Amino acid sequence: MTTSPAYTVDVRRLEEFSAVDLYAMLKMRVDVFVVEQNCPYPELDGNDPACRHLRLLDGTGLLACARLWRPVADALPRIGRVAVSPDHRGKRLGDALMREAIVACERLYPNEAIALSAQSHLTHFYEAFGFSPTSEEYLEDGIPHVDMLRPPSPGNA
């Protein structure tokens, strides 16, 4: 059985990043979402300044990242831009990243459900963390997606 490597969790706002750390995170997201998935779309969408950015780090090396945010005041908090470095796949870091993202969302947005937009082929992955589909499949940037929702945790409601 493959286990997650040791990692530290870092959650911060965009303006709190060093230029080098910000570059590493944005490069990884572009490498995964634009290059690897062959999907030319505006990865730098203008929303990052409103987000908290969660990173899993091995020393100073970036293993995985996600962004946590509330798009508008009356919207549910969201987890998005969930990515594991191609150099660190197969180590269960996606599981670790989602566990940490849920914990961080529950801390930042207590007693609230958490939303996400999942690539359709990852629906079962997110269901393992308590998310359920709330929409029919739709295309986003040419990739099938489905909206999902996780109710507040019993101890957090």
Side-chain angles (χ1 to χ4, degrees):
M1 181 170 113
T2 304
T3 58
S4 294
Y7 61 83
T8 57
V9 178
D10 177 66
V11 179
R12 64 181 64 201
R13 293 190 172 281
L14 194 69
E15 64 271 11
E16 297 171 320
F17 280 96
S18 72
V20 171
D21 289 343
L22 178 60
Y23 176 84
M25 182 181 69
L26 296 176
K27 182 181 183 325
M28 186 179 80
R29 285 181 12 192
V30 168
D31 287 349
V32 170
F33 298 123
V34 178
V35 178
E36 181 180 309
Q37 295 180 3
N38 194 26
C39 184
Y41 80 107
E43 167 55 28
L44 302 180
D45 61 3
N47 292 318
D48 287 303
C51 300
R52 296 268 182 27
H53 299 273
L54 184 145
R55 299 179 303 154
L56 301 186
L57 302 166
D58 176 8
T60 58
L62 179 60
L63 302 172
C65 65
R67 70 180 187 184
L68 317 173
W69 68 308
R70 182 188 307 277
V72 293
D74 60 347
L76 290 173
R78 300 187 65 79
I79 297 173
R81 298 301 202 266
V82 175
V84 173
S85 167
D87 296 334
H88 296 284
R89 295 209 180 124
K91 301 174 183 177
R92 314 267 335 148
L93 284 166
D95 293 346
L97 180 62
M98 282 307 299
R99 283 191 307 271
E100 299 293 353
I102 290 166
V103 166
C105 276
E106 288 176 341
R107 187 185 78 251
L108 294 165
Y109 311 105
N111 308 316
E112 295 191 58
I114 304 167
L116 57 78
S117 176
Q119 291 186 7
S120 295
H121 73 279
L122 294 172
T123 302
H124 293 301
F125 171 76
Y126 291 113
E127 285 174 334
F129 296 96
F131 289 86
S132 299
T134 59
S135 75
E136 296 296 319
E137 187 175 82
Y138 59 92
L139 286 179
E140 183 175 314
D141 300 311
I143 298 174
H145 280 72
V146 63
D147 292 331
M148 301 186 81
L149 191 66
R150 183 181 192 279
S153 293
N156 195 37

